[in-house]
Amino acid sequence: MPRVEHPAGGYKKLFETVEELSSPVTAHVTGRIPTWLRGSLLRCGPGLFEVGSEPFYHLFDGQALLHKFDFKEGHVTYHRRFVRTDAYVRAMTEKRIVITEFGTYAYPDPCKNIFSRSLGWFFSYFKGVEVTDNALVNVYPVAAAREAPDCVPAVLQVDLCKYVSVNGATAHPHIENDGTVYNIGNCFGKNFALAYNIIRIPPLQADKEDPMNKSEVVVQFPCSDRFKPSYVHSFGLTPNYIVFVETPVKINLLKFLSSWSLWGANYMDCFESNETMGVWLHVAEKKKGRLLNLKYRTSAFNLFHHINTYEDNGFLIVDLCTWKGFEFVYNYLYLANLRANWDEVKRQAEKAPQPEARRYVLPLSIDKADTGKNLVTLPYTTATATLRSDETIWLEPEVIFSGPRHAFEFPQINYRKYGGKPYTYTYGLGLNHFVPDRLCKLNVKTKETWVWQEPDAYPSEPIFVSHPDALEEDDGVVLSIVISPGAGPKPAFLLILNAKDMSEVARAEVEVNIPVTFHGLFKRAYENIP
């Protein structure tokens, strides 16, 4: 990818507080919206970066703002509202930060203010711990027997701990075509040691009973460290297997439990890195809920997003967006860093773990006679898996995307048809020294890339929407919210790209700034679930 500079610092607009809208606004459309594109794009992210004179300090602290673009008969409207969480309502009522967030400590009562987060794990298991419900990371559907209003979808506060043995869940569940939801959360396993539970939430049945009442634990993965669970953001799922990647970024449970008495402590203070463990990969059979007794190991990296996972002739192919090394990438996502001038942004990014999209190949059966040999026999990958004398299987990846301080992140695929199956294409947000400045399409087989980019334009995660009559994997469009602060009176727009060649189809401009969003989904007008 060509090197692009951002000396004007327009990316700082991504981290500015905005007001919610009292009613939808009509977007100005250039180009032609495909007639089949009918429904709503929902996005979530922070929208309030300070309360009065009190600032939030980390990217994951700002109060949750839900965005909605509606598509109907070639017209587009935009609406947004803050999610009425307890954290938001209390902050607005008391005009100060009341509950501690990911990287910001709330001062009123240190005996009660401890945090947690839908981003990864949260420890609502501990009574007397006040947990933030500021869910700013993602939106995903769990069918419910109740209606949602037309303006912005209903947001229901659900405590998973009341339904199943799990303390929180990740922001990246897997959703099967029938509406079944799989997710992972931490728990206490045997002998009060920490473990990770895979949970299953069934789709809404004819009896209309709340699916949460029927949620269950499918399988439990052990933790590499009894009292220090790893940070987990996503996991892999195929028709027959579940893949959990345990990284060296750890939550120090003792620090967490004592932090209520430490003046100024927050969630970020409880992270530490295990500099010797590397990465452990765990596999379980999905239908039987049985762990495979195979010890996959590889060198250290941070992991937030799985691209896709699939099965092929006795192997699991696991494609990941990695960050090399054991230092926590979130250390570089404080707002002061992200709002810095371009030269300083680059200087900090030079020190951070470097990104790389990788393919790992996991053999599902081994023979001790193959000790010392590469077990991978698939002809299309250079990834290796070597059986060692201690019966661990050492994995070396195939690099499918790499560029100096350029990340391919927030990956999206044609999930409905190719999630958990062999695939060819993935779409990602290009991060240039942590600044999102391009949209990318990657052929994971040939490593060919296509890029959309404009000067001083800062897009968000690309959402792939398949054509209703698609015959090919990449037949559809890609949607992304873009801010372009130097482009005149309309500082933001919804971009529609042809998913085959990343050429522009249309854009819908609005006269308001739109801050950073993390994840979201497209809900077709005629679907009950996206």
Side-chain angles (χ1 to χ4, degrees), residues 450-452 477-478 495-506:
W450 296 258
V451 175
W452 177 91
V477 296
V478 170
L495 178 66
I496 304 173
L497 300 177
N498 183 324
K500 285 190 172 294
D501 61 7
M502 300 295 279
S503 61
E504 183 170 333
V505 174

PDB file of all heavy atoms in Angstrom, residues 450-452 477-478 495-506:
ATOM      1  N   TRP A 450      -7.722  -4.827  -3.245  1.00  0.00           N
ATOM      2  CA  TRP A 450      -8.371  -3.680  -3.877  1.00  0.00           C
ATOM      3  C   TRP A 450      -8.572  -2.642  -2.776  1.00  0.00           C
ATOM      4  O   TRP A 450      -8.889  -2.994  -1.637  1.00  0.00           O
ATOM      5  CB  TRP A 450      -9.736  -4.053  -4.433  1.00  0.00           C
ATOM      6  CG  TRP A 450      -9.740  -5.067  -5.530  1.00  0.00           C
ATOM      7  CD1 TRP A 450      -9.892  -4.837  -6.869  1.00  0.00           C
ATOM      8  CD2 TRP A 450      -9.631  -6.495  -5.383  1.00  0.00           C
ATOM      9  NE1 TRP A 450      -9.873  -6.037  -7.558  1.00  0.00           N
ATOM     10  CE2 TRP A 450      -9.702  -7.063  -6.681  1.00  0.00           C
ATOM     11  CE3 TRP A 450      -9.445  -7.353  -4.290  1.00  0.00           C
ATOM     12  CZ2 TRP A 450      -9.617  -8.432  -6.900  1.00  0.00           C
ATOM     13  CZ3 TRP A 450      -9.359  -8.718  -4.504  1.00  0.00           C
ATOM     14  CH2 TRP A 450      -9.444  -9.243  -5.797  1.00  0.00           C
ATOM     15  N   VAL A 451      -8.411  -1.368  -3.091  1.00  0.00           N
ATOM     16  CA  VAL A 451      -8.443  -0.326  -2.065  1.00  0.00           C
ATOM     17  C   VAL A 451      -9.332   0.828  -2.504  1.00  0.00           C
ATOM     18  O   VAL A 451      -9.277   1.276  -3.659  1.00  0.00           O
ATOM     19  CB  VAL A 451      -7.023   0.204  -1.766  1.00  0.00           C
ATOM     20  CG1 VAL A 451      -7.069   1.387  -0.789  1.00  0.00           C
ATOM     21  CG2 VAL A 451      -6.142  -0.902  -1.190  1.00  0.00           C
ATOM     22  N   TRP A 452     -10.170   1.322  -1.569  1.00  0.00           N
ATOM     23  CA  TRP A 452     -10.850   2.611  -1.741  1.00  0.00           C
ATOM     24  C   TRP A 452     -10.205   3.591  -0.778  1.00  0.00           C
ATOM     25  O   TRP A 452     -10.022   3.292   0.409  1.00  0.00           O
ATOM     26  CB  TRP A 452     -12.343   2.510  -1.415  1.00  0.00           C
ATOM     27  CG  TRP A 452     -13.020   3.850  -1.518  1.00  0.00           C
ATOM     28  CD1 TRP A 452     -13.619   4.389  -2.615  1.00  0.00           C
ATOM     29  CD2 TRP A 452     -13.123   4.858  -0.478  1.00  0.00           C
ATOM     30  NE1 TRP A 452     -14.079   5.649  -2.338  1.00  0.00           N
ATOM     31  CE2 TRP A 452     -13.796   5.967  -1.042  1.00  0.00           C
ATOM     32  CE3 TRP A 452     -12.696   4.924   0.847  1.00  0.00           C
ATOM     33  CZ2 TRP A 452     -14.057   7.120  -0.301  1.00  0.00           C
ATOM     34  CZ3 TRP A 452     -12.949   6.081   1.582  1.00  0.00           C
ATOM     35  CH2 TRP A 452     -13.632   7.162   1.013  1.00  0.00           C
ATOM     36  N   VAL A 477     -22.635  -5.220  -2.089  1.00  0.00           N
ATOM     37  CA  VAL A 477     -22.061  -3.904  -1.828  1.00  0.00           C
ATOM     38  C   VAL A 477     -21.360  -3.919  -0.479  1.00  0.00           C
ATOM     39  O   VAL A 477     -21.575  -4.800   0.360  1.00  0.00           O
ATOM     40  CB  VAL A 477     -23.127  -2.789  -1.852  1.00  0.00           C
ATOM     41  CG1 VAL A 477     -23.757  -2.660  -3.236  1.00  0.00           C
ATOM     42  CG2 VAL A 477     -24.195  -3.025  -0.784  1.00  0.00           C
ATOM     43  N   VAL A 478     -20.526  -2.915  -0.288  1.00  0.00           N
ATOM     44  CA  VAL A 478     -19.850  -2.679   0.990  1.00  0.00           C
ATOM     45  C   VAL A 478     -20.293  -1.319   1.500  1.00  0.00           C
ATOM     46  O   VAL A 478     -20.273  -0.328   0.759  1.00  0.00           O
ATOM     47  CB  VAL A 478     -18.318  -2.722   0.821  1.00  0.00           C
ATOM     48  CG1 VAL A 478     -17.620  -2.243   2.080  1.00  0.00           C
ATOM     49  CG2 VAL A 478     -17.863  -4.137   0.466  1.00  0.00           C
ATOM     50  N   LEU A 495     -20.966   5.603   2.643  1.00  0.00           N
ATOM     51  CA  LEU A 495     -20.372   5.220   1.372  1.00  0.00           C
ATOM     52  C   LEU A 495     -20.867   3.840   0.955  1.00  0.00           C
ATOM     53  O   LEU A 495     -20.920   2.917   1.765  1.00  0.00           O
ATOM     54  CB  LEU A 495     -18.845   5.209   1.500  1.00  0.00           C
ATOM     55  CG  LEU A 495     -18.030   4.780   0.282  1.00  0.00           C
ATOM     56  CD1 LEU A 495     -18.183   5.781  -0.861  1.00  0.00           C
ATOM     57  CD2 LEU A 495     -16.563   4.616   0.667  1.00  0.00           C
ATOM     58  N   ILE A 496     -21.220   3.714  -0.321  1.00  0.00           N
ATOM     59  CA  ILE A 496     -21.649   2.432  -0.884  1.00  0.00           C
ATOM     60  C   ILE A 496     -20.685   2.069  -2.008  1.00  0.00           C
ATOM     61  O   ILE A 496     -20.545   2.819  -2.987  1.00  0.00           O
ATOM     62  CB  ILE A 496     -23.088   2.495  -1.425  1.00  0.00           C
ATOM     63  CG1 ILE A 496     -24.054   2.970  -0.333  1.00  0.00           C
ATOM     64  CG2 ILE A 496     -23.529   1.135  -1.973  1.00  0.00           C
ATOM     65  CD1 ILE A 496     -25.464   3.220  -0.826  1.00  0.00           C
ATOM     66  N   LEU A 497     -19.997   0.938  -1.854  1.00  0.00           N
ATOM     67  CA  LEU A 497     -19.028   0.486  -2.843  1.00  0.00           C
ATOM     68  C   LEU A 497     -19.496  -0.811  -3.491  1.00  0.00           C
ATOM     69  O   LEU A 497     -20.182  -1.631  -2.859  1.00  0.00           O
ATOM     70  CB  LEU A 497     -17.665   0.231  -2.186  1.00  0.00           C
ATOM     71  CG  LEU A 497     -16.977   1.397  -1.489  1.00  0.00           C
ATOM     72  CD1 LEU A 497     -15.677   0.926  -0.851  1.00  0.00           C
ATOM     73  CD2 LEU A 497     -16.715   2.546  -2.464  1.00  0.00           C
ATOM     74  N   ASN A 498     -19.103  -1.001  -4.758  1.00  0.00           N
ATOM     75  CA  ASN A 498     -19.275  -2.286  -5.419  1.00  0.00           C
ATOM     76  C   ASN A 498     -18.306  -3.276  -4.765  1.00  0.00           C
ATOM     77  O   ASN A 498     -17.091  -3.048  -4.757  1.00  0.00           O
ATOM     78  CB  ASN A 498     -18.978  -2.136  -6.906  1.00  0.00           C
ATOM     79  CG  ASN A 498     -19.209  -3.409  -7.688  1.00  0.00           C
ATOM     80  OD1 ASN A 498     -18.950  -4.511  -7.203  1.00  0.00           O
ATOM     81  ND2 ASN A 498     -19.674  -3.279  -8.918  1.00  0.00           N
ATOM     82  N   ALA A 499     -18.824  -4.358  -4.221  1.00  0.00           N
ATOM     83  CA  ALA A 499     -17.983  -5.286  -3.465  1.00  0.00           C
ATOM     84  C   ALA A 499     -17.008  -6.058  -4.344  1.00  0.00           C
ATOM     85  O   ALA A 499     -16.058  -6.654  -3.831  1.00  0.00           O
ATOM     86  CB  ALA A 499     -18.863  -6.270  -2.683  1.00  0.00           C
ATOM     87  N   LYS A 500     -17.202  -6.040  -5.644  1.00  0.00           N
ATOM     88  CA  LYS A 500     -16.288  -6.760  -6.533  1.00  0.00           C
ATOM     89  C   LYS A 500     -14.984  -5.998  -6.767  1.00  0.00           C
ATOM     90  O   LYS A 500     -13.903  -6.581  -6.715  1.00  0.00           O
ATOM     91  CB  LYS A 500     -16.974  -7.065  -7.866  1.00  0.00           C
ATOM     92  CG  LYS A 500     -17.989  -8.198  -7.789  1.00  0.00           C
ATOM     93  CD  LYS A 500     -18.452  -8.606  -9.166  1.00  0.00           C
ATOM     94  CE  LYS A 500     -19.318  -9.865  -9.094  1.00  0.00           C
ATOM     95  NZ  LYS A 500     -18.559 -11.049  -8.647  1.00  0.00           N
ATOM     96  N   ASP A 501     -15.083  -4.698  -7.035  1.00  0.00           N
ATOM     97  CA  ASP A 501     -13.871  -3.941  -7.383  1.00  0.00           C
ATOM     98  C   ASP A 501     -13.640  -2.727  -6.489  1.00  0.00           C
ATOM     99  O   ASP A 501     -12.719  -1.948  -6.728  1.00  0.00           O
ATOM    100  CB  ASP A 501     -13.913  -3.523  -8.851  1.00  0.00           C
ATOM    101  CG  ASP A 501     -15.092  -2.608  -9.188  1.00  0.00           C
ATOM    102  OD1 ASP A 501     -15.817  -2.184  -8.257  1.00  0.00           O
ATOM    103  OD2 ASP A 501     -15.292  -2.324 -10.384  1.00  0.00           O
ATOM    104  N   MET A 502     -14.467  -2.531  -5.463  1.00  0.00           N
ATOM    105  CA  MET A 502     -14.345  -1.427  -4.499  1.00  0.00           C
ATOM    106  C   MET A 502     -14.522  -0.059  -5.155  1.00  0.00           C
ATOM    107  O   MET A 502     -14.014   0.949  -4.668  1.00  0.00           O
ATOM    108  CB  MET A 502     -13.018  -1.502  -3.750  1.00  0.00           C
ATOM    109  CG  MET A 502     -12.848  -2.785  -2.956  1.00  0.00           C
ATOM    110  SD  MET A 502     -14.030  -2.975  -1.607  1.00  0.00           S
ATOM    111  CE  MET A 502     -13.274  -1.952  -0.340  1.00  0.00           C
ATOM    112  N   SER A 503     -15.230  -0.020  -6.279  1.00  0.00           N
ATOM    113  CA  SER A 503     -15.549   1.261  -6.920  1.00  0.00           C
ATOM    114  C   SER A 503     -16.796   1.855  -6.279  1.00  0.00           C
ATOM    115  O   SER A 503     -17.662   1.134  -5.766  1.00  0.00           O
ATOM    116  CB  SER A 503     -15.773   1.066  -8.419  1.00  0.00           C
ATOM    117  OG  SER A 503     -16.872   0.192  -8.656  1.00  0.00           O
ATOM    118  N   GLU A 504     -16.892   3.181  -6.296  1.00  0.00           N
ATOM    119  CA  GLU A 504     -18.019   3.844  -5.641  1.00  0.00           C
ATOM    120  C   GLU A 504     -19.304   3.688  -6.448  1.00  0.00           C
ATOM    121  O   GLU A 504     -19.334   3.906  -7.651  1.00  0.00           O
ATOM    122  CB  GLU A 504     -17.713   5.330  -5.433  1.00  0.00           C
ATOM    123  CG  GLU A 504     -18.826   6.061  -4.695  1.00  0.00           C
ATOM    124  CD  GLU A 504     -18.441   7.474  -4.276  1.00  0.00           C
ATOM    125  OE1 GLU A 504     -17.235   7.733  -4.081  1.00  0.00           O
ATOM    126  OE2 GLU A 504     -19.361   8.311  -4.132  1.00  0.00           O
ATOM    127  N   VAL A 505     -20.358   3.316  -5.747  1.00  0.00           N
ATOM    128  CA  VAL A 505     -21.694   3.214  -6.333  1.00  0.00           C
ATOM    129  C   VAL A 505     -22.498   4.467  -5.991  1.00  0.00           C
ATOM    130  O   VAL A 505     -23.162   5.059  -6.842  1.00  0.00           O
ATOM    131  CB  VAL A 505     -22.418   1.956  -5.813  1.00  0.00           C
ATOM    132  CG1 VAL A 505     -23.868   1.921  -6.295  1.00  0.00           C
ATOM    133  CG2 VAL A 505     -21.670   0.701  -6.239  1.00  0.00           C
ATOM    134  N   ALA A 506     -22.452   4.875  -4.729  1.00  0.00           N
ATOM    135  CA  ALA A 506     -23.201   6.050  -4.277  1.00  0.00           C
ATOM    136  C   ALA A 506     -22.674   6.463  -2.921  1.00  0.00           C
ATOM    137  O   ALA A 506     -21.922   5.730  -2.259  1.00  0.00           O
ATOM    138  CB  ALA A 506     -24.698   5.740  -4.201  1.00  0.00           C
TER     139      ALA A 506
END
